[in-house]
Amino acid sequence: MLEEVERWLGTRSWSATERPLHRILAAKQRTGQTVSVVLPALNEEETVGDIAAVIRHDLMLQVPLVDELVVVDSGSTDRTSEVAAAAGATVVHRDAILPRLPAVPGKGEVLWRSLLATRGDIVCFVDADLRDFSSDFVSGIVGPLLTEPDVDLVKGMYDRPLAGASGQGGRVTELMARPLLNMHWPRLAGFVQPLGGEYAARRSLLERLPFPVGYGIELGMLVDALHLVGLDALAQVDVGVRKHRHQDGQALGRMAAEIYRTAQLRLARGHLIRPSLTQFERGGDGFEPRTYSVDTEERPPMVEIAEYQERRAA
């Protein structure tokens, strides 16, 4: 590990317990910064309501840490929107944000559009499939952005159990993202959960970043933020244990391919001869191929979008 990373681990890796809530609130009051929490959601009726209810109760009603709680529904066919609204979140549909640009499927697309649907100086993203959710996830990762003026982006770090086994989750992280970062961006090797969906950043940074529309969003954001603001402006906070729905192996394969494509574009801005992934499923006549495109699209920095510029000027 690079000496710079070892030093960074000692100065930019914290535990949520190091910043009590009263200290975070005092910093928020002193700086006057506002906080938006965004939950990107697609068919998450089983969990999105509980997450929204905890955030609203703990960090909006009991203490005024979160100013805005927004669920961006990216085309759910279940009751995600109704459940989220009943829990007190503001629900915005992906296609209603920046309607002149047809939406494309993908988590990164939803996060990008959420910048136009929120107003907080600090934007905190939380995946909508978490179970046994604690509001420490939000206060823990938002805390350094309120107390440390030279920090621009904070990732959550946590244990990720799989089938009851501690530390066995995050398979794409260990098999794809971590090797990529260690080999090509070793200054980012200190991040425990580089692909984790719980992180917060200053709007002033997010609006200047391109957003891969799919699963490459987390890796792309880390790499681009490193080049834009430097390692010392990035941090991570231990928030405990993350429990969520795990995807099957083939879905993880497609995720890994998108992440590799995102990394490849950043390494060379080159062109793959065949930007696709073929997987196999057993059918009536044996194994049948299924081919998926991984030629991932990216959205430009939000600050370049006319509607966003108009809102800033208003």
Side-chain angles (χ1 to χ4, degrees), residues 43-306:
N43 295 329
E44 302 292 359
E45 67 175 351
E46 293 185 5
T47 50
V48 68
D50 290 341
I51 298 170
V54 169
I55 295 172
R56 179 168 171 75
H57 175 268
D58 292 1
L59 303 179
M60 298 179 80
L61 298 179
Q62 287 210 328
V63 298
L65 179 63
V66 173
D67 301 281
E68 187 177 36
L69 173 59
V70 177
V71 171
V72 182
D73 190 329
S74 59
S76 298
T77 56
D78 64 3
R79 297 181 61 253
T80 290
S81 290
E82 294 87 341
V83 170
T90 297
V91 178
V92 182
H93 291 270
R94 176 199 61 195
D95 296 352
I97 308 169
L98 206 58
R100 72 173 174 86
L101 290 180
V104 296
K107 177 184 178 183
E109 175 84 353
V110 176
L111 301 186
W112 182 72
R113 288 175 184 259
S114 76
L115 296 182
L116 197 53
T118 56
R119 292 187 175 274
D121 302 308
I122 294 168
V123 183
C124 175
F125 300 118
V126 177
D127 281 351
D129 65 343
L130 302 188
R131 302 181 183 278
D132 301 331
F133 178 77
S134 167
S135 59
D136 289 345
F137 271 64
V138 173
S139 58
I141 60 180
V142 165
L145 293 165
L146 291 168
T147 61
E148 310 291 334
D150 52 351
V151 170
D152 288 331
L153 185 149
V154 180
K155 295 280 294 190
M157 58 177 168
Y158 29 66
D159 295 317
R160 297 182 67 178
L162 175 64
S166 177
Q168 296 303 305
R171 290 162 287 174
V172 176
T173 293
E174 299 304 329
L175 297 176
M176 175 59 71
R178 200 177 307 285
L180 279 173
L181 293 175
N182 275 264
M183 288 186 289
H184 299 297
W185 296 281
R187 296 171 70 202
L188 295 174
F191 278 94
V192 176
Q193 296 292 351
L195 301 186
E198 289 67 51
Y199 50 98
R202 300 190 192 281
R203 178 176 294 273
S204 58
L205 170 62
L206 293 172
E207 66 186 10
R208 292 183 289 156
L209 297 175
F211 275 56
V213 300
Y215 287 120
I217 177 60
E218 276 82 25
L219 182 135
M221 184 178 292
L222 264 187
V223 170
D224 294 340
L226 174 68
H227 290 301
L228 194 60
V229 296
L231 182 60
D232 282 340
L234 313 179
Q236 60 185 350
V237 172
D238 187 347
V239 291
V241 179
R242 183 185 196 267
K243 299 178 182 178
H244 66 111
R245 183 186 67 252
H246 293 280
Q247 301 192 55
D248 62 36
Q250 290 208 334
L252 295 179
R254 296 191 290 275
M255 183 186 302
E258 286 193 28
I259 291 166
Y260 179 79
R261 175 61 169 164
T262 300
Q264 193 253 0
L265 288 172
R266 277 153 179 77
L267 284 169
R269 294 293 169 183
H271 178 70
L272 281 177
I273 295 174
R274 185 174 178 270
S276 59
L277 173 73
T278 298
Q279 298 177 317
F280 294 87
E281 298 178 6
R282 184 181 289 279
D285 297 321
F287 286 101
E288 301 174 356
R290 300 283 188 273
T291 300
Y292 302 88
S293 172
V294 293
D295 196 9
T296 56
E297 185 175 347
E298 297 201 8
R299 294 298 192 184
M302 182 59 78
V303 74
E304 298 177 7
I305 301 299

